[in-house]
């Protein structure tokens, strides 16, 4: 079995040597994907790097390599790969988005994450996931007014995008702006109904000690979503009015 593996690898090396650089890169990319699928992460990293060295236009290789580095807790290496990718291709939106995610989730470098997301928005201005990422980071930085601005931008694109409602509700709550939150959420509900803003409206009424309004919100929510209505009812029953 070992001899067979050695012979196969030697054949691969000879074949690569005889092929043109573009074909060599494709072979290394395929090998990297196979190794990754087999759980051979160090070997896959080497192969992805070889593929990129031979062909700097392999977008998927940059992304897969960065994800592997992030998976083995080497976020600095992941960012380095992605910076090379966007240097070669300044309009590489997916690379900027992934860089933002790594800065945010793996490194807690929120300013750098925001910068990466904003670069991604230059070429894809309607990507709600990217806009949500900016809002999330501003909430993490406790810059709640900026978080609200970007959460609303995401909702202007997709009024039912629930992650944006989470960031919007969090920011308003941290500001103690419960009336403002209710007004903003009611405006979104006028565009299209969504259970999540209705739940947040109920929570805001509780914060404002508006018992009747809170219970009326519960009754309305119960018509649409039993689970969310139950969550609100649980808090209502436990409240000391």
């Amino acid at each position: 079995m070992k001899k067979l593996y050695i012979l196969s690898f030697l054949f691969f090396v000879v074949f690569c040597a005889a092929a043109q650089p573009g074909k060599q890169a494709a072979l290394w990319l395929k090998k990297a994907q196979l190794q990754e699928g087999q759980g051979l992460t160090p070997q896959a990293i080497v192969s992805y790097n070889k593929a990129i060295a031979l062909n700097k236009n392999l977008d998927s290789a940059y992304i897969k390599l960065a994800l592997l580095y992030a998976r083995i807790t080497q976020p600095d290496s992941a960012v380095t790969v992605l910076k090379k990718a966007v240097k070669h291709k300044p309009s590489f939106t997916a690379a900027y988005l992934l860089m933002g995610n790594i800065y945010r989730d793996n490194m807690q470098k929120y300013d750098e994450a925001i910068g990466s997301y904003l670069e991604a928005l230059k070429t894809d201005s309607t990507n709600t996931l990217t806009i949500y990422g900016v809002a999330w980071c501003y909430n993490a930085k406790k810059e709640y007014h900026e978080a609200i601005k970007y959460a609303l931008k995401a909702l202007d694109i997709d009024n039912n995008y629930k992650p944006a409602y989470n960031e919007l509700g969090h920011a308003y709550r941290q500001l103690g702006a419960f009336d403002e939150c209710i007004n903003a959420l009611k405006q979104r509900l006028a565009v299209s109904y969504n259970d999540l803003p209705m739940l947040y409206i109920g929570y805001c009424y509780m914060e404002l000690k508006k018992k009747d309004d809170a219970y009326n919100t519960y009754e309305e929510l119960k018509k649409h979503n039993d689970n969310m209505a139950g969550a609100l009812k649980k808090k209502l029953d436990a409240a000391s009015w």
Side-chain angles (χ1 to χ4, degrees):
M1 190 69 179
K2 186 176 181 180
K3 288 182 179 179
L4 181 62
Y5 176 81
I6 292 171
L7 287 171
S8 298
F9 182 73
L10 288 173
F11 175 79
F12 176 79
V13 172
V14 172
F15 193 80
C16 280
Q20 296 297 319
K23 292 182 178 179
Q24 291 181 38
L27 288 168
W28 280 110
L29 177 59
K30 185 175 181 180
K31 186 176 180 66
Q33 291 168 336
L34 289 171
Q35 290 168 327
E36 184 179 357
Q38 295 167 354
L40 302 173
T41 300
Q43 295 89 328
I45 286 173
V46 170
S47 297
Y48 278 128
N49 274 307
K50 287 183 179 292
I52 291 169
L54 289 163
N55 184 355
K56 292 181 171 56
N57 295 312
L58 290 175
D59 290 358
S60 64
Y62 289 108
I63 297 297
K64 288 179 178 291
L65 179 56
L67 286 170
L68 279 182
Y69 277 130
R71 189 183 304 165
I72 62 172
T73 61
Q74 292 185 21
D76 289 324
S77 297
V79 168
T80 297
V81 168
L82 294 168
K83 284 184 175 180
K84 288 179 181 178
V86 297
K87 183 177 181 181
H88 180 71
K89 183 181 177 181
S91 61
F92 197 169
T93 308
Y96 280 118
L97 177 55
L98 179 57
M99 197 186 310
N101 290 345
I102 290 171
Y103 274 133
R104 180 191 68 188
D105 300 332
N106 299 78
M107 305 172 79
Q108 291 77 54
K109 292 185 175 182
Y110 302 125
D111 287 327
E112 289 85 347
I114 291 169
S116 299
Y117 290 138
L118 293 179
E119 287 295 326
L121 288 173
K122 288 179 181 179
T123 51
D124 186 4
S125 61
T126 61
N127 190 319
T128 52
L129 181 62
T130 309
I131 301 169
Y132 157 76
V134 178
W136 193 102
C137 287
Y138 275 124
N139 266 331
K141 284 164 55 65
K142 300 183 180 181
E143 296 180 21
Y144 302 118
H145 291 290
E146 286 297 306
I148 290 168
K149 181 174 77 173
Y150 279 93
L152 289 173
K153 280 187 178 183
L155 291 170
D156 285 339
I157 296 166
D158 181 359
N159 195 59
N160 293 316
Y161 188 59
K162 291 187 176 182
Y165 281 115
N166 289 329
E167 298 310 310
L168 190 66
H170 177 80
Y172 276 126
R173 182 177 181 182
Q174 293 301 313
L175 290 169
F178 302 112
D179 282 316
E180 188 178 347
C181 184
I182 290 169
N183 290 334
L185 293 173
K186 284 186 174 180
Q187 289 177 22
R188 306 317 311 187
L189 287 169
V191 176
S192 63
Y193 181 82
N194 190 298
D195 300 326
L196 193 56
M198 184 63 73
L199 177 65
Y200 283 134
I201 287 172
Y203 289 156
C204 286
Y205 279 134
M206 289 186 64
E207 294 286 352
L208 293 167
K209 306 295 184 183
K210 294 185 176 181
K211 184 176 181 179
D212 290 342
D213 288 327
Y215 272 98
N216 288 337
T217 303
Y218 158 71
E219 292 295 337
E220 181 63 28
L221 187 57
K222 191 167 61 172
K223 299 175 186 177
H224 302 277
N225 189 314
D226 286 337
N227 288 333
M228 284 192 183
L232 178 56
K233 184 64 160 56
K234 188 175 180 179
K235 286 185 176 292
L236 290 169
D237 290 342
S240 54
W241 299 96

